[in-house]
Amino acid sequence: MARAINMAPGCRVFAVGSRAKATAEDFISKNRLPATTLALGSYDELIASECNAIYIPLPTFLHLEWSMKAVNAGKHILVEKPVALSAADLRTLLDACKRNNVLFMDCVMFMHNARTKAICTRLSDPFCGAVSRMMSSFAFRGDASFFSNNIRCSAQGDPLGAVGDLGWYIFRFGLLAMSSSSSAPLSHTYPERLVMPTSISARCQNWSNGVPLDCEGKLVWSADARTATGQFSDQRCLVFDCSFLSVHRQRFEIVTVGGQDDEISDAVLTVDDFCLPRLPDASQFRFETHPRSGSLVNHHTRLVSSIEISSLPNDDGGQEVSMVREFHRQANPVHDNTATCTKQWWGEVSLATQIIVDACMASMRADGAPVEIPQEL
């Protein structure tokens, strides 16, 4: 993040705060930050400094306390996900941001990738059809050191475990996809109205001191007449799994039906690296369409479909720099009116994600029982 901040136009790392000044000095040295970067020996010193905004990568357990202190001191905040332990905590923080007229944004980098915006635009096109079903997997296999030392496996660090770390990304991408398909997007391509799922069922096979190391489940949205097939309704859903215990994958697949085209009725949009792009220079997604009628295969028993590969160039420095640039735009609306969407929207999309995380944890603790998801943000 230090690199991304220094690469973003109009931004620089003003100070580094740690519980010990020597640790801050070591961070500055290892990251080759300018000699003018302040090394501060406490978080309170950082908040009291002349910085305009604070990046908060602390363990989730500490987010509310230090985010509130920063906000009440008039600082804009960029907070690592999961941003809070509960939606109630996040609402408290967002209320404080509103009172102090400061920006809150969560650190979900793919939100600032041109590919994500292009996917939202594609899904909002009536000719694309309505999102019916989504499938996603996000996982990696942690080593012994990860499970012993990483805060994502600690009840005193991030008790939300794999759900808060990996599930957060899955739920966010699913929200964007379903909302883009269901409502007109903002002028800058994000959906203005977030369409919340109605329920979730989830199970965890491996717990560590109350922290979920994996999760598999299903999010369900209310029925949509556009996705019905004849007399059969098609339940709109996201089937997902996330894990610290499995081979790495970060795949998202979106199925749409009923496109307003005489020749096309169904399509599948696939992203094999939806969170962290594999290629250094471009981010890709695949859009495969199928004919409205006729055989699924031709006389050579080959699948009848049309495949389009979209490749969008990455910004200089990648999506991390794009995120910092957007954060700067939002925090300085007087100087820059090109921000992607409203300041309030960033809090709403984070709150929507947190609400789903809360319901997922509740379902896992109830051994997979369905949990209703509140619709109001």
Side-chain angles (χ1 to χ4, degrees):
M1 277 298 298
R3 167 184 166 275
I5 292 170
N6 280 335
M7 286 185 67
C11 302
R12 68 183 177 97
V13 179
F14 174 80
V16 175
S18 182
R19 289 172 293 179
K21 185 176 181 179
T23 305
E25 291 172 337
D26 185 55
F27 181 90
I28 291 171
S29 175
K30 288 181 176 178
N31 287 274
R32 300 180 180 179
L33 299 179
T36 54
T37 307
L38 299 180
L40 304 176
S42 73
Y43 302 144
D44 285 314
E45 285 183 76
L46 179 63
I47 291 171
S49 75
E50 295 180 357
C51 69
N52 303 113
I54 298 179
Y55 166 57
I56 300 178
L58 297 173
T60 310
F61 200 79
L62 299 173
H63 279 185
L64 180 63
E65 175 188 356
W66 290 103
S67 295
M68 287 292 290
K69 288 182 178 181
V71 165
N72 287 329
K75 311 296 185 183
H76 305 288
I77 55 172
L78 177 62
V79 185
E80 273 294 347
K81 50 84 212 146
V83 296
L85 295 176
S86 68
D89 283 357
L90 182 51
R91 285 192 174 94
T92 298
L93 177 57
L94 294 177
D95 287 344
C97 290
K98 186 175 182 179
R99 287 196 306 272
N100 289 280
N101 193 30
V102 297
L103 171 65
F104 165 92
M105 184 182 288
D106 64 10
C107 194
V108 179
M109 298 175 187
F110 70 63
M111 296 288 294
H112 310 277
N113 189 313
R115 174 177 62 187
T116 306
K117 299 173 185 180
I119 289 173
C120 287
T121 299
R122 174 64 66 91
L123 294 175
S124 70
D125 187 341
F127 287 91
C128 180
V131 171
S132 170
R133 185 177 182 87
M134 299 178 282
M135 288 76 73
S136 182
S137 294
F138 197 179
F140 64 86
R141 194 187 304 278
D143 58 15
S145 175
F146 175 82
F147 293 112
S148 299
N149 303 316
N150 197 285
I151 60 170
R152 289 173 284 183
C153 303
S154 169
Q156 287 71 48
D158 182 5
L160 303 178
V163 175
D165 184 42
L166 305 177
W168 188 278
Y169 293 119
I170 292 174
F171 301 153
R172 173 65 58 80
F173 208 88
L175 267 174
L176 290 180
M178 191 63 75
S179 300
S180 296
S181 176
S182 302
S183 62
L186 291 171
S187 59
H188 292 286
T189 74
Y190 282 131
E192 185 163 5
R193 184 176 66 90
L194 296 172
V195 180
M196 293 292 288
T198 56
S199 67
I200 187 171
S201 302
R203 292 180 181 272
C204 175
Q205 301 297 326
N206 293 278
W207 296 87
S208 176
N209 297 318
V211 177
L213 303 182
D214 58 17
C215 172
E216 58 184 17
K218 182 179 183 180
L219 272 169
V220 175
W221 277 260
S222 59
D224 186 330
R226 295 177 301 165
T227 63
T229 304
Q231 73 270 35
F232 304 105
S233 64
D234 186 16
Q235 185 184 67
R236 300 190 297 168
C237 64
L238 164 58
V239 178
F240 68 90
D241 67 272
C242 55
S243 177
F244 295 152
L245 302 165
S246 184
V247 63
H248 172 70
R249 56 195 185 278
Q250 47 165 335
R251 178 181 174 85
F252 213 103
E253 183 176 281
I254 302 169
V255 177
T256 70
V257 298
Q260 295 179 12
D261 188 298
D262 289 339
E263 302 299 327
I264 299 171
S265 62
D266 304 320
V268 181
L269 191 153
T270 306
V271 191
D272 289 324
D273 55 351
F274 79 94
C275 188
L276 300 170
R278 287 191 177 89
L279 301 177
D281 300 322
S283 300
Q284 297 180 334
F285 68 92
R286 166 181 164 137
F287 192 73
E288 181 176 6
T289 56
H290 298 275
R292 181 177 297 275
S293 60
S295 174
L296 187 63
V297 297
N298 61 21
H299 62 282
H300 295 297
T301 66
R302 298 292 187 267
L303 187 65
V304 178
S305 67
S306 175
I307 297 175
E308 172 191 345
I309 305 295
S310 296
S311 183
L312 293 99
N314 294 333
D315 288 344
D316 290 341
Q319 58 188 16
E320 299 90 342
V321 176
S322 299
M323 177 181 67
V324 176
R325 183 188 298 116
E326 181 63 26
F327 182 76
H328 178 263
R329 288 171 178 167
Q330 292 284 342
N332 296 276
V334 174
H335 305 292
D336 192 329
N337 62 2
T338 62
T340 297
C341 50
T342 65
K343 184 183 295 185
Q344 181 182 358
W345 188 88
W346 290 103
E348 290 177 352
V349 73
S350 191
L351 179 59
T353 310
Q354 185 78 53
I355 288 171
I356 298 172
V357 168
D358 288 3
C360 184
M361 294 294 293
S363 179
M364 289 192 301
R365 289 172 179 144
D367 198 26
V371 172
E372 291 187 4
I373 296 175
Q375 299 298 292
E376 296 295 326
L377 298 179

